[in-house]
Amino acid sequence: MIKVQQFFMKYKRYILLINTVLLLFAEVSKLLLHMDIPYQVLMFIVGTIGVIPIALTAISSLRVRLVSIDVLVSLAVIGAFIIGEFNEAAIVTWLFMLGDVLEEITLRKTRSAVSDLTQMAPKTASVVQDDGTIKEEDVDFIDPGEKILIKTGDQVPVDGEIVSGIGYLNEASVNGESKLANKTVGSEVYAGTILEDGTLTVETTAAGEDTTFGKIIEMVEEAQDTKSGTEKIINRFAKYYTPAVLVIAIIVGLITRDLKLAITVMVLGCPGALVIGVPVSTVAGIGNGAKNGIMFKGSQVIDQARKIDEVAFDKTGTLTVGHPEVSVIEILNGRRNEIIKLAAQIEGQSNHPLAQAIAKLAEQKPVSTKLETVKGKGVVATINDEKYYLGNQNLIVDNTGSNGKLVKTINHLSQSDNSIVVFANSDQSQLAVFGIKDQLRPEAKEALTNLKKLGVKKLVMLSGDNQETAEQIAAELPIDEVRGQMLPENKAAFIKQEKMNGHHVAFIGDGINDSPALANANVAIAIGSGTDVAIDVSDIVLVKNDLRKIDYALGLSKKIVLNMNENIVLALLTVLLLFIGLFAGYVEMASGMFIHEFSILVVILNGMRLLKFHHKFDNHQVSKKHNKVALNM
């Protein structure tokens, strides 16, 4: 039986296509050629092919004591065969299979998030031997206490503590922050992060599955296992509807002693409009979302999204643009435009994120420049025999001398969480300080305000930054709660706790570090520019990277579920009217089938209305260019 089920699952779309062609031939033979026997034979074939996978699923459901919609459809089709209504059997099974395929094609074919994470995890490490030589070893065989050499551009293979060297680490995979972390002797490092600059020797504290990165993978696995048990809307409804119809059919049979009438009750009670109504609403709603840059991953997501009363945001890359930009330029000596052009020209030759932020300030023009990198401090550029220094405070002080005003400016900008880059020439006649940090998305405030209007009760920001920095960012937004210093496990634990407190929580993120929180949320929403892992774990993807689409997605989900419920009510009313007409003597099998088919057309047209849905807040267009940040004079 299992092999037969697997065959029908594998070739479901081809079987649907074959049955569709056979149905068309059957209708042509009856309506155009007036040949009844070919019509009946073809309908019998379609019904037989169609009922096999439904009956097998019904048997599996009954084995676990679940009276699913498959049970009712199977019995109704068998009953239709018994009383010779082959066309009813064919049409019901075809509709059921069509609805199943429509449901399936709404799901994006995503790669396994856990598999992606596993592939991204470090595999080998350069282990420093007792004699000073280096040996490549599998991370799973590295023990705590072993020393690991990490060079610029390398992925950190273990959790550990720096015993020698200094460097700048990109820790976005662990804490989500775009700001590079300056690491020195005694600092902790985490597996999966990237050394952007410098050389480090690290003493291992954890390797393989025991690392912070390994725990992220474990948390995603556990959360996805928990989510996989969510029921389909149609199955939840069928728990009550299917037994009710079966009981009515049995009672009618016992009272009237008329087997054909009992089977007719079961056949007419088989909700053709129901089995197609929910998938049609789903497909039309998801089509509307796709047209507006929102990708839903199935009807289960939609049912959860309409219940959301709390939205939690990751900060970096979600509420902010996700990469450093120049927020302020303080000119202490010299001409502003000339300094910006020189700084941009010099930094344009570097791939460092802070350098690239400055390089974007002015158009690059070919200039003969000799560039020297000073490890851990910055660069020294020689242009037309004059030297210019771009880097941290130590580089400037070591080469051009101390300056009280410079120190005061650096301290002031650092308090606002700016990364500092200082520009100076040899005599400090040209001296400037660049403050660089991640910037809020231009649409963030409007997006959060719209969520409040939609009825979301609580907005939360979760950040790997310290609490003070996180609160500074949140002060510009209608945020209800701010949590700083949140590692991946902290974010996931927060989401779990909020769910235990009775909230339906949506989490919006974009990075690998967000994946445990995304996997644990009732609804996971990923920014389309985020990592593949975040997108794979998510339930909804904002393709256009516009936070204002969140309220559209939640509003659309409510409309889709309302439309589904309308179709369910239409289906039930149809069945009720058929039963009343049947027992009153006004409805026979033929007229009942006609009403059945008409109700199917009605629910399809009702579902198609979702294609024209427009959310009340959706009166904006995504700006093609970010608003430029005003730079202080």
Side-chain angles (χ1 to χ4, degrees), residues 53-280:
I54 301 171
L56 292 175
T57 305
I59 293 169
S60 299
S61 299
L62 290 172
R63 282 179 175 175
V64 293
R65 298 180 181 180
L66 174 64
V67 185
S68 67
I69 198 76
D70 303 83
V71 175
L72 177 58
V73 173
S74 299
L75 292 174
V77 171
I78 292 169
F81 280 133
I82 292 172
I83 61 178
E85 296 293 341
F86 303 142
N87 53 343
E88 178 71 3
I91 291 170
V92 167
T93 56
W94 181 79
L95 284 171
F96 197 86
M97 189 174 290
L98 176 63
D100 200 25
V101 170
L102 287 176
E103 185 80 27
E104 186 181 90
I105 64 176
T106 61
L107 303 175
R108 288 185 64 196
K109 295 179 180 178
T110 57
R111 298 185 302 274
S112 166
V114 175
S115 174
D116 284 354
L117 280 171
T118 303
Q119 291 175 12
M120 294 176 67
K123 301 294 188 299
T124 62
S126 301
V127 181
V128 181
Q129 306 297 306
D130 292 337
D131 60 1
T133 59
I134 305 298
K135 182 181 179 183
E136 286 291 318
E137 291 187 16
D138 192 305
V139 292
D140 291 328
F141 299 109
I142 295 174
D143 297 319
E146 291 194 67
K147 292 182 174 58
I148 310 297
L149 178 66
I150 306 166
K151 298 179 181 179
T152 300
D154 287 349
Q155 187 179 37
V156 178
V158 298
D159 285 2
E161 183 178 307
I162 298 173
V163 293
S164 70
I166 57 174
Y168 286 89
L169 276 169
N170 181 341
E171 296 185 322
S173 61
V174 172
N175 61 21
E177 298 309 313
S178 60
K179 182 179 178 181
L180 295 181
N182 185 12
K183 300 287 186 175
T184 59
V185 174
S187 299
E188 290 185 340
V189 297
Y190 304 102
T193 57
I194 307 293
L195 182 62
E196 297 284 358
D197 185 29
T199 301
L200 305 175
T201 301
V202 173
E203 183 175 319
T204 303
T205 57
E209 295 179 355
D210 297 325
T211 64
T212 301
F213 198 85
K215 290 174 182 175
I216 290 176
I217 297 174
E218 183 180 351
M219 284 187 287
V220 173
E221 288 176 325
E222 290 176 355
Q224 289 203 319
D225 286 342
T226 303
K227 268 192 170 184
S228 63
T230 308
E231 287 185 291
K232 289 184 177 180
I233 295 172
I234 190 72
N235 285 341
R236 291 207 303 272
F237 177 78
K239 279 183 179 180
Y240 309 100
Y241 180 79
T242 300
V245 172
L246 293 177
V247 168
I248 292 171
I250 292 170
I251 291 172
V252 169
L254 291 173
I255 292 174
T256 64
R257 306 283 182 176
D258 186 341
L259 178 60
K260 183 175 181 179
L261 180 61
I263 292 175
T264 301
V265 169
M266 197 158 50
V267 172
L268 294 182
C270 182
L274 181 63
V275 297
I276 194 66
V278 171
V280 164

Side-chain angles (χ1 to χ4, degrees), residues 462-573:
L462 307 178
S463 173
D465 275 334
N466 62 60
Q467 186 68 23
E468 184 180 353
T469 300
E471 288 178 354
Q472 287 177 356
I473 292 287
E476 302 179 47
L477 300 170
I479 294 283
D480 299 305
E481 185 175 344
V482 179
R483 296 290 185 97
Q485 296 177 314
M486 299 286 277
L487 291 174
E489 60 265 32
N490 303 132
K491 293 179 182 180
F494 176 84
I495 298 296
K496 288 180 181 177
Q497 186 58 51
E498 291 298 283
K499 287 165 66 178
M500 289 175 63
N501 292 340
H503 291 287
H504 282 81
V505 186
F507 181 78
I508 295 91
D510 76 318
I512 296 169
N513 67 297
D514 296 325
S515 52
L518 286 165
N520 278 284
N522 294 103
V523 175
I525 303 176
I527 303 295
S529 59
T531 62
D532 289 346
V533 171
I535 291 172
D536 287 352
V537 174
S538 68
D539 302 308
I540 298 173
V541 180
L542 306 182
V543 179
K544 295 183 179 179
N545 301 326
D546 185 356
L547 291 178
R548 291 170 295 191
K549 293 299 180 182
I550 299 171
D551 68 78
Y552 191 105
L554 299 185
L556 178 59
S557 67
K558 292 180 179 181
K559 187 66 177 178
I560 293 171
V561 173
L562 175 63
N563 193 270
M564 288 178 182
N565 291 334
E566 289 170 353
N567 282 347
I568 289 172
V569 170
L570 286 169
L572 292 178
L573 283 175

Side-chain angles (χ1 to χ4, degrees), residues 140-446:
D140 291 328
F141 299 109
I142 295 174
D143 297 319
E146 291 194 67
K147 292 182 174 58
I148 310 297
L149 178 66
I150 306 166
K151 298 179 181 179
T152 300
D154 287 349
Q155 187 179 37
V156 178
V158 298
D159 285 2
E161 183 178 307
I162 298 173
V163 293
S164 70
I166 57 174
Y168 286 89
L169 276 169
N170 181 341
E171 296 185 322
S173 61
V174 172
N175 61 21
E177 298 309 313
S178 60
K179 182 179 178 181
L180 295 181
N182 185 12
K183 300 287 186 175
T184 59
V185 174
S187 299
E188 290 185 340
V189 297
Y190 304 102
T193 57
I194 307 293
L195 182 62
E196 297 284 358
D197 185 29
T199 301
L200 305 175
T201 301
V202 173
E203 183 175 319
T204 303
T205 57
E209 295 179 355
D210 297 325
T211 64
T212 301
F213 198 85
K215 290 174 182 175
I216 290 176
I217 297 174
E218 183 180 351
M219 284 187 287
V220 173
E221 288 176 325
E222 290 176 355
Q224 289 203 319
D225 286 342
T226 303
K227 268 192 170 184
S228 63
T230 308
E231 287 185 291
K232 289 184 177 180
I233 295 172
I234 190 72
N235 285 341
R236 291 207 303 272
F237 177 78
K239 279 183 179 180
Y240 309 100
Y241 180 79
T242 300
V245 172
L246 293 177
V247 168
I248 292 171
I250 292 170
I251 291 172
V252 169
L254 291 173
I255 292 174
T256 64
R257 306 283 182 176
D258 186 341
L259 178 60
K260 183 175 181 179
L261 180 61
I263 292 175
T264 301
V265 169
M266 197 158 50
V267 172
L268 294 182
C270 182
L274 181 63
V275 297
I276 194 66
V278 171
V280 164
S281 296
T282 302
V283 172
I286 289 176
N288 182 302
K291 185 174 66 175
N292 288 280
I294 301 162
M295 298 300 293
F296 289 96
K297 296 184 181 179
S299 61
Q300 294 164 308
V301 176
I302 294 165
D303 187 41
Q304 288 293 320
R306 55 119 182 175
K307 303 174 185 175
I308 294 302
D309 63 0
E310 177 178 343
V311 179
F313 295 85
D314 170 53
K315 179 181 75 69
T316 305
T318 303
L319 289 175
T320 64
V321 295
H323 54 81
E325 294 184 352
V326 176
S327 61
V328 59
I329 303 174
E330 293 285 357
I331 305 297
L332 305 183
N333 290 316
R335 294 181 178 178
R336 179 184 180 84
N337 290 341
E338 185 178 344
I339 288 174
I340 290 174
K341 286 180 181 178
L342 281 169
Q345 184 65 46
I346 295 167
E347 296 287 47
Q349 300 178 54
S350 172
N351 291 323
H352 193 286
L354 298 184
Q356 287 299 301
I358 294 175
K360 289 189 294 185
L361 294 176
E363 185 180 349
Q364 305 296 308
K365 293 182 180 180
V367 176
S368 178
T369 305
K370 179 183 176 184
L371 203 65
E372 176 189 353
T373 300
V374 181
K375 190 174 180 180
K377 294 183 179 180
V379 296
V380 180
T382 304
I383 302 175
N384 297 328
D385 296 328
E386 185 172 357
K387 287 191 173 183
Y388 298 92
Y389 304 89
L390 260 169
N392 60 26
Q393 183 178 349
N394 292 334
L395 177 72
I396 305 305
V397 171
D398 291 348
N399 291 276
T400 67
S402 182
N403 184 314
K405 189 176 180 181
L406 173 64
V407 173
K408 184 178 179 180
T409 302
I410 291 173
N411 290 339
H412 173 68
L413 295 183
S414 296
Q415 289 174 0
S416 299
D417 196 42
N418 284 285
S419 294
I420 303 299
V421 176
V422 185
F423 173 90
N425 60 359
S426 299
D427 61 0
Q428 292 192 4
S429 59
Q430 291 179 306
L431 182 63
V433 181
F434 293 83
I436 302 172
K437 64 179 179 180
D438 202 1
Q439 303 291 318
L440 275 176
R441 286 180 179 267
E443 80 278 9
K445 186 173 182 179
E446 180 186 350

